[in-house]
PDB file of all heavy atoms in Angstrom:
ATOM      1  N   GLY U   1     -23.010  -4.891   0.560  1.00 95.00           N
ATOM      2  CA  GLY U   1     -21.931  -3.938   0.837  1.00 95.00           C
ATOM      3  C   GLY U   1     -21.139  -3.564  -0.318  1.00 95.00           C
ATOM      4  O   GLY U   1     -21.174  -4.155  -1.363  1.00 95.00           O
ATOM      5  N   ASP U   2     -20.410  -2.448  -0.189  1.00 96.00           N
ATOM      6  CA  ASP U   2     -19.563  -1.976  -1.402  1.00 96.00           C
ATOM      7  C   ASP U   2     -18.338  -2.942  -1.458  1.00 96.00           C
ATOM      8  O   ASP U   2     -17.846  -3.424  -0.454  1.00 96.00           O
ATOM      9  CB  ASP U   2     -19.045  -0.543  -1.010  1.00 96.00           C
ATOM     10  CG  ASP U   2     -20.148   0.473  -1.011  1.00 96.00           C
ATOM     11  OD1 ASP U   2     -21.087   0.293  -1.757  1.00 96.00           O
ATOM     12  OD2 ASP U   2     -20.055   1.412  -0.259  1.00 96.00           O
ATOM     13  N   PRO U   3     -17.884  -3.150  -2.621  1.00 96.00           N
ATOM     14  CA  PRO U   3     -16.788  -4.033  -2.906  1.00 96.00           C
ATOM     15  C   PRO U   3     -15.488  -3.404  -2.409  1.00 96.00           C
ATOM     16  O   PRO U   3     -15.401  -2.178  -2.391  1.00 96.00           O
ATOM     17  CB  PRO U   3     -16.737  -4.289  -4.404  1.00 96.00           C
ATOM     18  CG  PRO U   3     -17.513  -3.184  -4.981  1.00 96.00           C
ATOM     19  CD  PRO U   3     -18.538  -2.732  -3.946  1.00 96.00           C
ATOM     20  N   ARG U   4     -14.533  -4.257  -2.005  1.00 96.00           N
ATOM     21  CA  ARG U   4     -13.171  -3.706  -1.657  1.00 96.00           C
ATOM     22  C   ARG U   4     -12.312  -4.644  -2.558  1.00 96.00           C
ATOM     23  O   ARG U   4     -12.537  -5.804  -2.822  1.00 96.00           O
ATOM     24  CB  ARG U   4     -12.853  -3.907  -0.222  1.00 96.00           C
ATOM     25  CG  ARG U   4     -13.733  -3.167   0.733  1.00 96.00           C
ATOM     26  CD  ARG U   4     -13.397  -1.707   0.678  1.00 96.00           C
ATOM     27  NE  ARG U   4     -14.106  -0.889   1.671  1.00 96.00           N
ATOM     28  CZ  ARG U   4     -15.153  -0.249   1.559  1.00 96.00           C
ATOM     29  NH1 ARG U   4     -15.809  -0.311   0.267  1.00 96.00           N
ATOM     30  NH2 ARG U   4     -15.759   0.398   2.448  1.00 96.00           N
ATOM     31  N   ALA U   5     -11.109  -4.035  -2.914  1.00 95.00           N
ATOM     32  CA  ALA U   5     -10.181  -4.734  -3.778  1.00 95.00           C
ATOM     33  C   ALA U   5      -8.747  -4.337  -3.495  1.00 95.00           C
ATOM     34  O   ALA U   5      -8.461  -3.272  -2.965  1.00 95.00           O
ATOM     35  CB  ALA U   5     -10.491  -4.502  -5.191  1.00 95.00           C
ATOM     36  N   ALA U   6      -7.850  -5.184  -3.852  1.00 93.00           N
ATOM     37  CA  ALA U   6      -6.385  -4.890  -3.871  1.00 93.00           C
ATOM     38  C   ALA U   6      -5.766  -5.578  -5.063  1.00 93.00           C
ATOM     39  O   ALA U   6      -6.158  -6.662  -5.411  1.00 93.00           O
ATOM     40  CB  ALA U   6      -5.754  -5.369  -2.559  1.00 93.00           C
ATOM     41  N   MET U   7      -4.761  -4.873  -5.668  1.00 93.00           N
ATOM     42  CA  MET U   7      -4.064  -5.437  -6.728  1.00 93.00           C
ATOM     43  C   MET U   7      -2.591  -5.030  -6.680  1.00 93.00           C
ATOM     44  O   MET U   7      -2.313  -3.866  -6.383  1.00 93.00           O
ATOM     45  CB  MET U   7      -4.688  -4.961  -8.121  1.00 93.00           C
ATOM     46  CG  MET U   7      -4.007  -5.487  -9.312  1.00 93.00           C
ATOM     47  SD  MET U   7      -4.750  -4.962 -10.761  1.00 93.00           S
ATOM     48  CE  MET U   7      -6.145  -6.131 -10.899  1.00 93.00           C
ATOM     49  N   LEU U   8      -1.745  -5.924  -6.966  1.00 91.00           N
ATOM     50  CA  LEU U   8      -0.294  -5.622  -7.033  1.00 91.00           C
ATOM     51  C   LEU U   8       0.145  -5.861  -8.437  1.00 91.00           C
ATOM     52  O   LEU U   8      -0.217  -6.867  -9.053  1.00 91.00           O
ATOM     53  CB  LEU U   8       0.505  -6.543  -6.055  1.00 91.00           C
ATOM     54  CG  LEU U   8       0.219  -6.357  -4.570  1.00 91.00           C
ATOM     55  CD1 LEU U   8       1.021  -7.379  -3.788  1.00 91.00           C
ATOM     56  CD2 LEU U   8       0.614  -5.015  -4.186  1.00 91.00           C
ATOM     57  N   SER U   9       1.033  -4.949  -8.852  1.00 87.00           N
ATOM     58  CA  SER U   9       1.570  -5.121 -10.249  1.00 87.00           C
ATOM     59  C   SER U   9       2.732  -6.059 -10.207  1.00 87.00           C
ATOM     60  O   SER U   9       3.109  -6.691 -11.270  1.00 87.00           O
ATOM     61  CB  SER U   9       1.983  -3.800 -10.868  1.00 87.00           C
ATOM     62  OG  SER U   9       2.939  -3.224 -10.113  1.00 87.00           O
ATOM     63  N   GLY U  10       3.483  -6.219  -9.001  1.00 85.00           N
ATOM     64  CA  GLY U  10       4.535  -7.140  -8.884  1.00 85.00           C
ATOM     65  C   GLY U  10       4.349  -7.839  -7.538  1.00 85.00           C
ATOM     66  O   GLY U  10       3.936  -7.233  -6.587  1.00 85.00           O
ATOM     67  N   GLY U  11       4.795  -8.995  -7.438  1.00 85.00           N
ATOM     68  CA  GLY U  11       4.645  -9.709  -6.157  1.00 85.00           C
ATOM     69  C   GLY U  11       3.323 -10.329  -5.956  1.00 85.00           C
ATOM     70  O   GLY U  11       2.491 -10.259  -6.851  1.00 85.00           O
ATOM     71  N   GLN U  12       3.133 -10.773  -4.689  1.00 91.00           N
ATOM     72  CA  GLN U  12       1.851 -11.474  -4.396  1.00 91.00           C
ATOM     73  C   GLN U  12       1.254 -10.776  -3.215  1.00 91.00           C
ATOM     74  O   GLN U  12       1.923 -10.246  -2.379  1.00 91.00           O
ATOM     75  CB  GLN U  12       2.098 -12.900  -4.053  1.00 91.00           C
ATOM     76  CG  GLN U  12       2.573 -13.731  -5.223  1.00 91.00           C
ATOM     77  CD  GLN U  12       2.669 -15.216  -4.939  1.00 91.00           C
ATOM     78  OE1 GLN U  12       2.354 -15.660  -3.831  1.00 91.00           O
ATOM     79  NE2 GLN U  12       3.095 -15.999  -5.891  1.00 91.00           N
ATOM     80  N   LEU U  13      -0.072 -10.826  -3.178  1.00 92.00           N
ATOM     81  CA  LEU U  13      -0.812 -10.269  -1.939  1.00 92.00           C
ATOM     82  C   LEU U  13      -0.504 -11.243  -0.744  1.00 92.00           C
ATOM     83  O   LEU U  13      -0.503 -12.445  -0.914  1.00 92.00           O
ATOM     84  CB  LEU U  13      -2.308 -10.311  -2.185  1.00 92.00           C
ATOM     85  CG  LEU U  13      -2.872  -9.415  -3.220  1.00 92.00           C
ATOM     86  CD1 LEU U  13      -4.286  -9.611  -3.522  1.00 92.00           C
ATOM     87  CD2 LEU U  13      -2.787  -7.953  -2.678  1.00 92.00           C
ATOM     88  N   SER U  14      -0.277 -10.562   0.344  1.00 93.00           N
ATOM     89  CA  SER U  14      -0.088 -11.360   1.567  1.00 93.00           C
ATOM     90  C   SER U  14      -1.357 -11.579   2.343  1.00 93.00           C
ATOM     91  O   SER U  14      -2.376 -10.920   1.999  1.00 93.00           O
ATOM     92  CB  SER U  14       0.885 -10.554   2.508  1.00 93.00           C
ATOM     93  OG  SER U  14       0.268  -9.383   2.957  1.00 93.00           O
ATOM     94  N   GLU U  15      -1.365 -12.531   3.198  1.00 93.00           N
ATOM     95  CA  GLU U  15      -2.538 -12.773   4.048  1.00 93.00           C
ATOM     96  C   GLU U  15      -2.897 -11.480   4.844  1.00 93.00           C
ATOM     97  O   GLU U  15      -4.083 -11.277   5.052  1.00 93.00           O
ATOM     98  CB  GLU U  15      -2.270 -13.837   4.986  1.00 93.00           C
ATOM     99  CG  GLU U  15      -3.487 -14.313   5.799  1.00 93.00           C
ATOM    100  CD  GLU U  15      -3.337 -15.527   6.678  1.00 93.00           C
ATOM    101  OE1 GLU U  15      -3.537 -16.570   6.134  1.00 93.00           O
ATOM    102  OE2 GLU U  15      -3.030 -15.351   7.831  1.00 93.00           O
ATOM    103  N   ASP U  16      -1.906 -10.722   5.250  1.00 94.00           N
ATOM    104  CA  ASP U  16      -2.232  -9.498   5.990  1.00 94.00           C
ATOM    105  C   ASP U  16      -3.049  -8.504   5.083  1.00 94.00           C
ATOM    106  O   ASP U  16      -3.863  -7.853   5.519  1.00 94.00           O
ATOM    107  CB  ASP U  16      -0.943  -8.812   6.519  1.00 94.00           C
ATOM    108  CG  ASP U  16      -0.359  -9.507   7.736  1.00 94.00           C
ATOM    109  OD1 ASP U  16      -1.040 -10.293   8.353  1.00 94.00           O
ATOM    110  OD2 ASP U  16       0.784  -9.254   7.980  1.00 94.00           O
ATOM    111  N   GLN U  17      -2.691  -8.478   3.815  1.00 94.00           N
ATOM    112  CA  GLN U  17      -3.432  -7.579   2.960  1.00 94.00           C
ATOM    113  C   GLN U  17      -4.849  -8.104   2.692  1.00 94.00           C
ATOM    114  O   GLN U  17      -5.777  -7.272   2.742  1.00 94.00           O
ATOM    115  CB  GLN U  17      -2.693  -7.488   1.547  1.00 94.00           C
ATOM    116  CG  GLN U  17      -1.382  -6.635   1.675  1.00 94.00           C
ATOM    117  CD  GLN U  17      -0.483  -6.862   0.452  1.00 94.00           C
ATOM    118  OE1 GLN U  17      -0.219  -7.953   0.033  1.00 94.00           O
ATOM    119  NE2 GLN U  17      -0.045  -5.733  -0.101  1.00 94.00           N
ATOM    120  N   ILE U  18      -5.048  -9.347   2.608  1.00 95.00           N
ATOM    121  CA  ILE U  18      -6.387  -9.912   2.520  1.00 95.00           C
ATOM    122  C   ILE U  18      -7.125  -9.688   3.811  1.00 95.00           C
ATOM    123  O   ILE U  18      -8.312  -9.322   3.791  1.00 95.00           O
ATOM    124  CB  ILE U  18      -6.310 -11.467   2.207  1.00 95.00           C
ATOM    125  CG1 ILE U  18      -5.550 -11.717   0.987  1.00 95.00           C
ATOM    126  CG2 ILE U  18      -7.704 -12.083   2.269  1.00 95.00           C
ATOM    127  CD1 ILE U  18      -6.178 -11.250  -0.280  1.00 95.00           C
ATOM    128  N   ILE U  19      -6.505  -9.872   4.966  1.00 96.00           N
ATOM    129  CA  ILE U  19      -7.139  -9.532   6.195  1.00 96.00           C
ATOM    130  C   ILE U  19      -7.592  -8.089   6.292  1.00 96.00           C
ATOM    131  O   ILE U  19      -8.740  -7.831   6.772  1.00 96.00           O
ATOM    132  CB  ILE U  19      -6.243  -9.909   7.426  1.00 96.00           C
ATOM    133  CG1 ILE U  19      -6.157 -11.433   7.531  1.00 96.00           C
ATOM    134  CG2 ILE U  19      -6.740  -9.226   8.770  1.00 96.00           C
ATOM    135  CD1 ILE U  19      -5.078 -11.877   8.554  1.00 96.00           C
ATOM    136  N   ARG U  20      -6.783  -7.144   5.830  1.00 96.00           N
ATOM    137  CA  ARG U  20      -7.222  -5.728   5.864  1.00 96.00           C
ATOM    138  C   ARG U  20      -8.539  -5.529   4.958  1.00 96.00           C
ATOM    139  O   ARG U  20      -9.406  -4.793   5.420  1.00 96.00           O
ATOM    140  CB  ARG U  20      -6.036  -4.879   5.312  1.00 96.00           C
ATOM    141  CG  ARG U  20      -5.054  -4.514   6.415  1.00 96.00           C
ATOM    142  CD  ARG U  20      -4.090  -3.385   6.071  1.00 96.00           C
ATOM    143  NE  ARG U  20      -3.287  -3.756   4.883  1.00 96.00           N
ATOM    144  CZ  ARG U  20      -2.150  -4.317   5.061  1.00 96.00           C
ATOM    145  NH1 ARG U  20      -1.670  -4.708   6.231  1.00 96.00           N
ATOM    146  NH2 ARG U  20      -1.375  -4.639   3.890  1.00 96.00           N
ATOM    147  N   ILE U  21      -8.545  -6.114   3.866  1.00 97.00           N
ATOM    148  CA  ILE U  21      -9.779  -6.057   3.048  1.00 97.00           C
ATOM    149  C   ILE U  21     -10.906  -6.658   3.763  1.00 97.00           C
ATOM    150  O   ILE U  21     -12.085  -5.987   3.838  1.00 97.00           O
ATOM    151  CB  ILE U  21      -9.559  -6.702   1.626  1.00 97.00           C
ATOM    152  CG1 ILE U  21      -8.467  -6.001   0.881  1.00 97.00           C
ATOM    153  CG2 ILE U  21     -10.847  -6.779   0.889  1.00 97.00           C
ATOM    154  CD1 ILE U  21      -8.008  -6.734  -0.416  1.00 97.00           C
ATOM    155  N   LEU U  22     -10.823  -7.856   4.245  1.00 97.00           N
ATOM    156  CA  LEU U  22     -11.895  -8.430   5.058  1.00 97.00           C
ATOM    157  C   LEU U  22     -12.393  -7.549   6.215  1.00 97.00           C
ATOM    158  O   LEU U  22     -13.509  -7.432   6.394  1.00 97.00           O
ATOM    159  CB  LEU U  22     -11.514  -9.871   5.574  1.00 97.00           C
ATOM    160  CG  LEU U  22     -11.233 -10.937   4.486  1.00 97.00           C
ATOM    161  CD1 LEU U  22     -10.724 -12.185   5.121  1.00 97.00           C
ATOM    162  CD2 LEU U  22     -12.523 -11.131   3.593  1.00 97.00           C
ATOM    163  N   ASP U  23     -11.394  -7.031   6.905  1.00 97.00           N
ATOM    164  CA  ASP U  23     -11.787  -6.119   8.074  1.00 97.00           C
ATOM    165  C   ASP U  23     -12.514  -4.915   7.531  1.00 97.00           C
ATOM    166  O   ASP U  23     -13.446  -4.465   8.161  1.00 97.00           O
ATOM    167  CB  ASP U  23     -10.489  -5.676   8.810  1.00 97.00           C
ATOM    168  CG  ASP U  23      -9.850  -6.854   9.582  1.00 97.00           C
ATOM    169  OD1 ASP U  23     -10.486  -7.907   9.730  1.00 97.00           O
ATOM    170  OD2 ASP U  23      -8.780  -6.620  10.165  1.00 97.00           O
ATOM    171  N   GLU U  24     -12.128  -4.306   6.435  1.00 97.00           N
ATOM    172  CA  GLU U  24     -12.825  -3.190   5.802  1.00 97.00           C
ATOM    173  C   GLU U  24     -14.362  -3.563   5.486  1.00 97.00           C
ATOM    174  O   GLU U  24     -15.247  -2.906   5.748  1.00 97.00           O
ATOM    175  CB  GLU U  24     -12.167  -2.637   4.606  1.00 97.00           C
ATOM    176  CG  GLU U  24     -10.893  -1.875   4.926  1.00 97.00           C
ATOM    177  CD  GLU U  24     -10.122  -1.549   3.684  1.00 97.00           C
ATOM    178  OE1 GLU U  24     -10.666  -1.557   2.523  1.00 97.00           O
ATOM    179  OE2 GLU U  24      -8.973  -1.069   3.764  1.00 97.00           O
ATOM    180  N   LEU U  25     -14.402  -4.741   4.866  1.00 97.00           N
ATOM    181  CA  LEU U  25     -15.729  -5.195   4.493  1.00 97.00           C
ATOM    182  C   LEU U  25     -16.616  -5.398   5.766  1.00 97.00           C
ATOM    183  O   LEU U  25     -17.780  -5.024   5.778  1.00 97.00           O
ATOM    184  CB  LEU U  25     -15.635  -6.581   3.774  1.00 97.00           C
ATOM    185  CG  LEU U  25     -15.032  -6.491   2.383  1.00 97.00           C
ATOM    186  CD1 LEU U  25     -14.713  -7.927   1.818  1.00 97.00           C
ATOM    187  CD2 LEU U  25     -15.987  -5.773   1.464  1.00 97.00           C
ATOM    188  N   ILE U  26     -16.086  -5.971   6.780  1.00 96.00           N
ATOM    189  CA  ILE U  26     -16.836  -6.338   8.003  1.00 96.00           C
ATOM    190  C   ILE U  26     -17.204  -4.950   8.700  1.00 96.00           C
ATOM    191  O   ILE U  26     -18.286  -4.851   9.239  1.00 96.00           O
ATOM    192  CB  ILE U  26     -16.043  -7.213   8.954  1.00 96.00           C
ATOM    193  CG1 ILE U  26     -15.922  -8.610   8.304  1.00 96.00           C
ATOM    194  CG2 ILE U  26     -16.625  -7.270  10.379  1.00 96.00           C
ATOM    195  CD1 ILE U  26     -14.937  -9.532   8.897  1.00 96.00           C
ATOM    196  N   ALA U  27     -16.262  -3.996   8.656  1.00 95.00           N
ATOM    197  CA  ALA U  27     -16.532  -2.691   9.254  1.00 95.00           C
ATOM    198  C   ALA U  27     -17.683  -1.951   8.509  1.00 95.00           C
ATOM    199  O   ALA U  27     -18.394  -1.145   9.100  1.00 95.00           O
ATOM    200  CB  ALA U  27     -15.286  -1.788   9.168  1.00 95.00           C
TER     201      ALA U  27
END
């Protein structure tokens, strides 16, 4: 599959943001 990614310049990624990426990968 195509890779998916998220990056924040400030703060931390939340579990919800990781879940969105996983859901996109699964889709």
Side-chain angles (χ1 to χ4, degrees):
D2 294 329
R4 297 289 187 266
M7 181 179 281
L8 294 177
S9 59
Q12 294 186 1
L13 289 171
S14 69
E15 184 174 275
D16 287 342
Q17 290 167 310
I18 301 297
I19 287 171
R20 278 194 294 274
I21 294 170
L22 294 175
D23 288 356
E24 289 175 12
L25 291 168
I26 292 165

